[in-house]
Amino acid sequence: MNPISPFFLVQLQILLPPASYSLESSVLEGYSHDESSQKAVMPLAVVWPENAGQIAAVLKLCNEQRIPVTARGGGSSLEGNAVPSPGGIVLSLEKMNTVLEILPEDFQVRLQPGVIYDDLNRQLARFGLFFAPGPSSGDVATIGGMVGNNAGGMNALRYGVTRDHVLRLQVALADGALLWFGTRAMKSSSGFDLVRLMVGSEGMLGIVTEIVLRLHGLPERRTALAHFPTLETAAQAVFEVMRSGILPGALELMDAVSIQHLNIFKKWSWPETPTLLFEFHGAPRGIAEELEITRQLCQEIGATTFREAASPAEREQLWAGRKEITRAEQDIFAGHIFFKGDIAVPLSQYVPTIQKAQNLAEEHGLSISAFGHAGDGNLHTTIPALPGDAEACIRAEKLMDDLIRFALSVGGTASGEHGIGLAKRKYLSEEHGAAVEVMRRIKQVLDPNGILNPGKMFLE
Amino acid sequence: MNPISPFFLVQLQILLPPASYSLESSVLEGYSHDESSQKAVMPLAVVWPENAGQIAAVLKLCNEQRIPVTARGGGSSLEGNAVPSPGGIVLSLEKMNTVLEILPEDFQVRLQPGVIYDDLNRQLARFGLFFAPGPSSGDVATIGGMVGNNAGGMNALRYGVTRDHVLRLQVALADGALLWFGTRAMKSSSGFDLVRLMVGSEGMLGIVTEIVLRLHGLPERRTALAHFPTLETAAQAVFEVMRSGILPGALELMDAVSIQHLNIFKKWSWPETPTLLFEFHGAPRGIAEELEITRQLCQEIGATTFREAASPAEREQLWAGRKEITRAEQDIFAGHIFFKGDIAVPLSQYVPTIQKAQNLAEEHGLSISAFGHAGDGNLHTTIPALPGDAEACIRAEKLMDDLIRFALSVGGTASGEHGIGLAKRKYLSEEHGAAVEVMRRIKQVLDPNGILNPGKMFLE
């Protein structure tokens, strides 16, 4: 028996057409989890609003009835951000997936939150434009979800993260008020920055119902891969390239273990040493030059190989390497649970952090792979453990814990781009200290009844 | 007689050494205004704290005594942002002007809020680094003031405004609590974004006591000037260059009237037509290519001249043009009051906005000049009027009013980079609608007694 109250259900039926909500447990099940390893929670109901008015009306009802609401995009969150709050409903933005207006002369697009990242960029490409951040999960991640988590990705180094691209948001507040935050001007110093307060707030301050994004012109691209004898030399290359005034489109690191996994999975024979993937964005001769400067810097620093993608096919292959690390791990470690990290540290601490990860793995008798957005200091780590091996799982969790604390101790953050969700809650106070109290007060003022994704971000 | 209460004065004397405050009217006078045309207000006292602890202690006292506090950097605000609140004190950050730590490997600097923009960049240049935004008033503007107003400038197009560069802030809240917001990681999705909430809050949510900025590598630069027969062709060049994937270091527009003023002041003979100033930042061959692409685009579109700065001296000369427009106007219109605007509009509305300004000027029988950061859609306008000519002053004010309303009607903002202060308060609700209520609630929760720069931003 679904514990939904008959009164709430009747009200929902008044607000929404029958196809716009479901109480069926087979449906609810699919919305009970995200891509994290957090425990599933069955929602009371799933609703699929079709416009901002319906979202506002559902929120007003839930606010009156004190029913928690968890907004959900593609469900690809990695920290439990989209796991339903107990006793609450899921508000899925899937049906609100329309690109409303492409404004090429403004370098802007206005869209609904359920639009998928790759779909958006396919539509924008016809205008020679793109929305830059570049999450690995771009085939499922929605723009609304990216806004909720302040998603980053491969191109964040040159163009910034989601937060840097959101100009204007329509937001439904907990009480059902529909407001617009921000401006369509490219810059503004008018009033407090409510847009950026909303971005990364994980559905806890309001629900985004419409979005205006800033776009960039699609540049020419050159891609190259460099293998290094040591992490230190790879890191030095990152530093020297960035100091030269070059702003790479992407600058990704894969450690030796990641390359091993790729070689097994793809039957490649890449040198199993720390590897950098560079991409340069701009006009043809300029990026050719950036590539040459980078080649020289890498060779001076001691790169053993520096290989440019000579064709679009080869470019795809180099990127496939970076993008398929996770798939390789899932294949090689089938049946394992994966303990995944998403820390970011100041650039000078990137190598010490990877070394710390490797030392901790050795200490705990675990295998760890590390890869990530080196130019940003954002590091993703993966530890596979067998679910039956409770002791290994505990050690893996301990390792992750130690590593996050290390990142915080060197001035870093517990989450580079995945958010806090459920998984990282215990680090919020360690990272922000008394500032968490300010966050709580802002939450309280915008959502006094605490119906917006309660239980996330803050430990109760 | 200074109306300061004896009790407050005694407390202040306990908290601060004698050299750290003044009640002398000759001193107070200098702090009674900023660079705006807003009416001066004499503060009760000026304090010059030397560290965060003193700031916190002064705030705690003022909070208990309900004494307004207006923070002040270089005093170069243009909208009355730094004009003292009636019955309040000025908290000047002038003595907190130390660059605390340059972290070249992290592309970061940690500094006190009173450091002046140009001084900072002089120190950073030795490390091949710079803090990018580039305000015209960089010789007096402090970093703290730039944070307070979310200042932009010449390089904001490529690198972003101040908001995009602030990683971490130490903030004294109204009650005297000292907190840290943000992280030294280059990106983060951990908790609500309190850093960007503080940036641009005009000293109304807290007072910034220490700042960590993100820096960029100093690039090679190429500079060029292009004259166009019409505003439309100039605007088309802006659009085509940006769509080509080039991200210029600067892209500035000067209208025909601005060039006329320059020619008179500098005894130059530049063609008196709409003019674009381009700067390209990057590696040598790349920026040479960007310049060539831009030259071709400009010529195809109909530029009458395209002139590259062949030497550093000529580069200085081209930039002097852009930077000395204001000085030229002050010289030509000595004794006039200047009505200045700082709107920003979506790119496609840039030319219509300038045309609107010109039409309004004709209608009102006034002379107007327009220049600004064309790549950002940020337009500065100046109307000189004689203070004795009350009727002209009223018409100038009416023109500005009409122009701001026009900017809002096309999706723009009342302030591109100068803030709201006193001068733009009436537009806040027109621009943000009911979102202003959310801003007020956030102000209320962080500053319940309303001591932080009261009277700014919001109409009472």
Side-chain angles (χ1 to χ4, degrees):
Chain A
M1 265 288 290
N2 191 306
I4 197 164
S5 92
F7 178 76
F8 179 70
L9 184 57
V10 167
Q11 298 291 315
L12 211 54
Q13 285 164 340
I14 293 168
L15 295 178
L16 299 175
S20 291
Y21 61 90
S22 174
L23 312 178
E24 273 182 49
S25 59
S26 63
V27 172
L28 301 186
E29 184 121 29
Y31 291 82
S32 66
H33 58 84
D34 57 12
E35 290 297 312
S36 70
S37 55
Q38 296 296 308
K39 218 176 124 219
V41 175
M42 288 287 276
L44 297 186
V46 177
V47 305
W48 296 273
E50 290 176 22
N51 55 56
Q54 289 182 352
I55 294 176
V58 169
L59 285 186
K60 187 166 183 293
L61 170 64
C62 290
N63 195 43
E64 284 161 7
Q65 299 279 311
R66 309 290 192 268
I67 306 281
V69 180
T70 297
R72 181 185 178 99
S76 54
S77 293
L78 288 165
E79 308 290 0
N81 328 50
V83 171
S85 298
I89 67 167
V90 167
L91 194 149
S92 166
L93 281 311
E94 281 162 288
K95 285 193 185 172
M96 290 177 63
N97 62 355
T98 304
V99 174
L100 299 167
E101 197 177 6
I102 297 173
L103 298 152
E105 293 185 12
D106 292 332
F107 294 80
Q108 292 178 13
V109 62
R110 186 166 65 84
L111 75 171
Q112 291 184 313
V115 174
I116 289 171
Y117 179 81
D118 285 351
D119 290 344
L120 173 63
N121 274 337
R122 262 190 293 274
Q123 293 194 44
L124 294 175
R126 283 182 284 135
F127 298 87
L129 296 168
F130 79 125
F131 171 47
S136 323
S137 55
D139 54 340
V140 289
T142 63
I143 307 303
M146 290 181 69
V147 169
N149 289 338
N150 184 30
M154 314 287 179
N155 307 128
L157 175 62
R158 183 178 173 92
Y159 303 96
V161 294
T162 300
R163 184 169 274 142
D164 303 311
H165 292 82
V166 182
L167 292 172
R168 197 158 148 78
L169 289 173
Q170 192 188 44
V171 177
L173 296 187
D175 61 6
L178 265 181
L179 304 179
W180 277 101
F181 295 165
T183 169
R184 290 216 305 109
M186 302 270 261
K187 69 200 241 201
S188 174
S189 287
S190 168
F192 302 149
D193 189 349
L194 301 179
V195 167
R196 276 154 203 88
L197 183 63
M198 288 301 304
V199 179
S201 65
E202 303 189 14
M204 295 179 67
L205 297 179
I207 290 180
V208 169
T209 56
E210 201 174 306
I211 302 164
V212 179
L213 294 175
R214 178 181 180 171
L215 306 173
H216 285 91
L218 262 179
E220 296 285 324
R221 295 162 193 241
R222 296 283 282 264
T223 309
L225 200 69
H227 302 288
F228 291 84
T230 60
L231 277 171
E232 288 80 356
T233 46
Q236 203 191 330
V238 171
F239 175 68
E240 295 294 346
V241 168
M242 287 183 59
R243 202 181 50 169
S244 73
I246 295 174
L247 208 58
L251 210 180
E252 299 287 311
L253 174 103
M254 295 165 270
D255 76 347
V257 177
S258 298
I259 304 286
Q260 275 167 26
H261 293 161
L262 272 182
N263 280 343
I264 295 170
F265 180 63
K266 307 281 285 185
K267 303 194 176 30
W268 288 347
S269 52
W270 287 11
E272 294 181 352
T273 62
T275 297
L276 293 178
L277 178 65
F278 293 96
E279 196 163 82
F280 303 99
H281 289 188
R285 270 183 291 158
I287 55 177
E289 178 187 30
E290 292 187 349
L291 195 135
E292 273 320 303
I293 291 172
T294 301
R295 183 201 301 273
Q296 274 173 30
L297 284 171
C298 287
Q299 283 167 350
E300 280 166 26
I301 289 161
T304 51
T305 329
F306 187 95
R307 176 179 144 208
E308 196 206 337
S311 65
E314 207 181 337
R315 174 176 182 269
E316 283 309 307
Q317 196 214 14
L318 297 189
W319 270 110
R322 168 63 185 82
K323 288 183 178 168
E324 291 186 33
I325 293 174
T326 301
R327 199 170 303 162
E329 286 167 346
Q330 282 165 346
D331 187 78
I332 294 166
F333 298 101
H336 286 61
I337 309 176
F338 295 95
F339 293 82
K340 285 171 177 290
D342 162 44
I343 49 181
V345 292
L347 277 194
S348 66
Q349 299 300 318
Y350 202 61
V351 164
T353 304
I354 300 177
Q355 284 164 339
K356 180 76 182 177
Q358 292 172 341
N359 293 343
L360 284 169
E362 206 167 311
E363 211 175 281
H364 289 287
L366 293 164
S367 155
I368 194 166
S369 64
F371 61 93
H373 316 306
D376 277 342
N378 188 189
L379 185 70
H380 298 314
T381 48
T382 311
I383 307 168
L386 283 165
D389 188 349
E391 207 261 328
C393 290
I394 291 167
R395 275 180 293 143
E397 212 159 286
K398 178 74 173 67
L399 190 166
M400 281 299 179
D401 193 55
D402 288 346
L403 190 59
I404 292 172
R405 295 222 155 82
F406 179 81
L408 295 179
S409 77
V410 298
T413 178
S415 176
E417 55 186 12
H418 299 164
I420 296 294
L422 293 164
K424 299 273 180 73
R425 288 178 298 172
K426 64 176 159 177
Y427 307 108
L428 197 73
S429 285
E430 282 180 51
E431 181 171 343
H432 299 284
V436 173
E437 187 48 36
V438 177
M439 296 181 197
R440 281 183 187 273
R441 279 195 260 164
I442 289 172
K443 164 79 171 161
Q444 170 69 24
V445 91
L446 279 165
D447 177 24
N449 296 332
I451 63 153
L452 293 172
N453 212 9
K456 310 298 153 52
M457 199 181 288
F458 306 116
L459 282 176
E460 299 308 297
Chain B
M1 265 285 293
N2 190 303
I4 197 164
S5 92
F7 177 76
F8 179 71
L9 183 56
V10 167
Q11 297 293 314
L12 209 56
Q13 285 166 339
I14 293 168
L15 295 178
L16 299 175
S20 291
Y21 61 90
S22 175
L23 311 179
E24 273 181 49
S25 59
S26 64
V27 173
L28 302 186
E29 184 121 30
Y31 290 82
S32 65
H33 59 84
D34 56 13
E35 289 298 312
S36 69
S37 55
Q38 295 295 310
K39 216 176 127 219
V41 174
M42 287 289 273
L44 296 185
V46 177
V47 305
W48 296 273
E50 289 176 21
N51 54 57
Q54 288 182 352
I55 294 175
V58 169
L59 285 186
K60 188 166 183 295
L61 170 65
C62 290
N63 195 43
E64 285 161 4
Q65 300 279 312
R66 309 289 192 270
I67 306 281
V69 180
T70 297
R72 182 186 176 99
S76 54
S77 293
L78 288 166
E79 307 290 359
N81 330 48
V83 171
S85 298
I89 67 166
V90 167
L91 193 149
S92 166
L93 280 311
E94 282 162 287
K95 283 192 184 171
M96 290 177 63
N97 63 353
T98 305
V99 174
L100 298 167
E101 197 177 6
I102 297 174
L103 299 151
E105 295 186 10
D106 292 332
F107 294 81
Q108 291 177 13
V109 62
R110 186 165 66 83
L111 75 172
Q112 292 184 314
V115 173
I116 288 171
Y117 179 82
D118 285 352
D119 290 344
L120 173 62
N121 275 337
R122 262 191 291 274
Q123 292 194 47
L124 294 175
R126 283 182 285 133
F127 297 87
L129 296 169
F130 79 125
F131 170 47
S136 324
S137 55
D139 55 338
V140 289
T142 64
I143 307 302
M146 290 181 69
V147 169
N149 288 338
N150 184 31
M154 314 287 177
N155 307 127
L157 176 61
R158 183 179 173 90
Y159 303 96
V161 294
T162 300
R163 184 168 275 142
D164 303 309
H165 292 81
V166 181
L167 293 172
R168 199 160 146 75
L169 289 173
Q170 191 186 46
V171 176
L173 296 186
D175 62 5
L178 265 182
L179 303 179
W180 277 100
F181 296 165
T183 168
R184 290 219 301 111
M186 302 270 259
K187 70 200 239 198
S188 174
S189 288
S190 169
F192 303 148
D193 189 349
L194 301 179
V195 167
R196 276 157 203 88
L197 183 63
M198 288 302 304
V199 179
S201 65
E202 305 190 12
M204 293 179 68
L205 297 178
I207 290 180
V208 168
T209 56
E210 202 173 304
I211 302 164
V212 179
L213 294 174
R214 178 182 180 170
L215 306 172
H216 285 90
L218 263 178
E220 297 285 324
R221 293 160 194 242
R222 296 283 282 266
T223 309
L225 200 69
H227 302 288
F228 291 84
T230 60
L231 275 173
E232 288 80 357
T233 46
Q236 202 191 331
V238 170
F239 175 68
E240 295 294 343
V241 168
M242 286 183 59
R243 202 181 51 167
S244 73
I246 295 174
L247 207 59
L251 210 180
E252 299 286 312
L253 174 105
M254 295 166 271
D255 76 349
V257 177
S258 297
I259 304 285
Q260 275 167 25
H261 293 161
L262 271 182
N263 280 342
I264 296 168
F265 180 63
K266 307 281 286 186
K267 303 191 174 43
W268 287 347
S269 52
W270 287 11
E272 294 181 354
T273 63
T275 299
L276 293 178
L277 177 65
F278 293 96
E279 195 163 82
F280 304 98
H281 289 188
R285 271 183 291 156
I287 54 178
E289 179 188 29
E290 292 186 350
L291 195 135
E292 271 320 302
I293 291 172
T294 301
R295 183 200 302 271
Q296 275 173 30
L297 283 170
C298 287
Q299 283 167 350
E300 280 165 25
I301 289 161
T304 50
T305 330
F306 187 96
R307 174 178 146 209
E308 196 204 336
S311 64
E314 207 181 335
R315 175 177 180 269
E316 283 309 306
Q317 196 215 12
L318 297 189
W319 270 109
R322 167 64 184 85
K323 289 183 180 171
E324 291 186 35
I325 292 174
T326 301
R327 198 168 305 161
E329 287 167 345
Q330 284 165 346
D331 188 79
I332 295 165
F333 299 101
H336 286 60
I337 309 176
F338 295 95
F339 293 82
K340 284 171 180 290
D342 163 43
I343 50 181
V345 292
L347 277 193
S348 65
Q349 300 300 320
Y350 202 62
V351 165
T353 305
I354 299 177
Q355 285 165 338
K356 180 75 183 178
Q358 292 173 341
N359 294 344
L360 285 169
E362 206 166 310
E363 208 176 284
H364 289 287
L366 293 163
S367 154
I368 194 166
S369 64
F371 61 94
H373 316 306
D376 277 343
N378 188 188
L379 185 72
H380 297 313
T381 48
T382 310
I383 306 168
L386 283 165
D389 188 348
E391 207 262 327
C393 290
I394 289 168
R395 275 181 291 141
E397 212 158 286
K398 177 75 174 66
L399 191 165
M400 281 300 178
D401 194 52
D402 289 345
L403 189 59
I404 291 172
R405 293 220 156 83
F406 178 81
L408 296 179
S409 76
V410 297
T413 178
S415 175
E417 53 185 13
H418 299 163
I420 296 294
L422 292 165
K424 298 270 181 75
R425 287 178 299 173
K426 64 175 157 175
Y427 306 108
L428 197 73
S429 286
E430 282 181 51
E431 181 171 343
H432 298 285
V436 172
E437 187 49 36
V438 177
M439 297 181 196
R440 281 182 187 272
R441 280 195 261 162
I442 289 172
K443 164 78 172 163
Q444 170 69 22
V445 91
L446 280 165
D447 177 23
N449 295 332
I451 63 153
L452 293 172
N453 212 11
K456 310 296 152 56
M457 199 180 291
F458 307 115
L459 282 176
E460 299 310 297

